[in-house]
Amino acid sequence: MEYTIRDAQASDMPQVLNLIQELASFEKEDHAVEVTVDDLVQAGYGTQPLFHCFVAEAEDNIVGMAVLYPRYSTWKGPVIHLEDLIVTEKMRGSGLGNALLTAVVKYGHRAGVKRISWEVLDWNEPAIKFYEKKGARVMRDWDVVQLNEQAMADFLKNN
């Protein structure tokens, strides 16, 4: 099946949200997605976009996407964080993940960033092998640390 990789448009966000929900289900977090189509449109297509999105389109359907945003490393300088790279289940193994990752790397290279980073679940061995094959270093000695909204409120209340 042929596909095209392109910059996402605001009108793509309903299908992008479907892919986000598919990823949440794959990661056993079915009820974790809180963003809406309106949230995505406002965040990605307002006066100060918070993210950039590439989509993969096949037969007029979005079958994959990559969402990234700028960060700054105090050690390296400007970097990009790849928030999600999603390929719908029926398209896995088609080369689509490689095409999306290539679009992200080209974007980062053109922007002059020093690094592109992302997380992968430790049990997602197919993704880990894919990323390592592409030259990415999976840093298993680092843990992701987060404060959710309630934890932030509790922190502020106690400090």
Side-chain angles (χ1 to χ4, degrees):
M1 181 180 298
E2 290 187 34
Y3 54 81
T4 303
I5 307 295
R6 62 174 174 78
D7 292 330
Q9 302 168 5
S11 60
D12 296 324
M13 292 303 104
Q15 289 184 76
V16 166
L17 182 57
N18 288 341
L19 284 170
I20 292 167
Q21 291 167 328
E22 182 176 332
L23 177 65
S25 180
F26 173 78
E27 293 182 353
K28 301 170 180 62
E29 294 283 342
D30 296 63
H31 303 293
V33 178
E34 297 178 10
V35 297
T36 66
V37 170
D38 288 341
D39 293 335
L40 292 169
V41 170
Q42 288 177 2
Y45 300 92
T47 55
Q48 292 185 315
L50 299 177
F51 66 83
H52 185 85
C53 183
F54 292 102
V55 293
E57 193 171 41
E59 298 177 350
D60 296 322
N61 291 308
I62 293 175
V63 293
M65 64 92 158
V67 173
L68 54 121
Y69 55 87
R71 288 175 51 186
Y72 190 82
S73 165
T74 56
W75 289 12
K76 301 293 181 188
V79 298
I80 287 176
H81 182 79
L82 174 58
E83 180 66 18
D84 286 320
L85 190 153
I86 305 166
V87 174
T88 193
E89 188 173 4
K90 70 178 181 172
M91 292 296 290
R92 292 184 193 140
S94 68
L96 195 55
N98 184 64
L100 283 164
L101 186 58
T102 299
V104 170
V105 172
K106 285 180 178 178
Y107 180 91
H109 185 71
R110 281 191 310 268
V113 301
K114 303 293 185 179
R115 179 177 68 216
I116 301 169
S117 59
W118 62 96
E119 288 91 27
V120 61
L121 290 168
D122 61 359
W123 55 261
N124 192 348
E125 284 300 322
I128 291 169
K129 287 178 183 173
F130 169 76
Y131 294 138
E132 288 178 333
K133 183 178 175 186
K134 299 300 173 190
R137 185 175 73 165
V138 178
M139 301 171 67
R140 296 179 188 258
D141 53 341
W142 285 76
D143 290 322
V144 176
V145 180
Q146 298 178 336
L147 287 172
N148 64 22
E149 286 178 290
Q150 185 60 53
M152 287 186 286
D154 293 346
F155 177 93
L156 293 172
K157 188 178 356 174
N158 297 317
N159 286 290

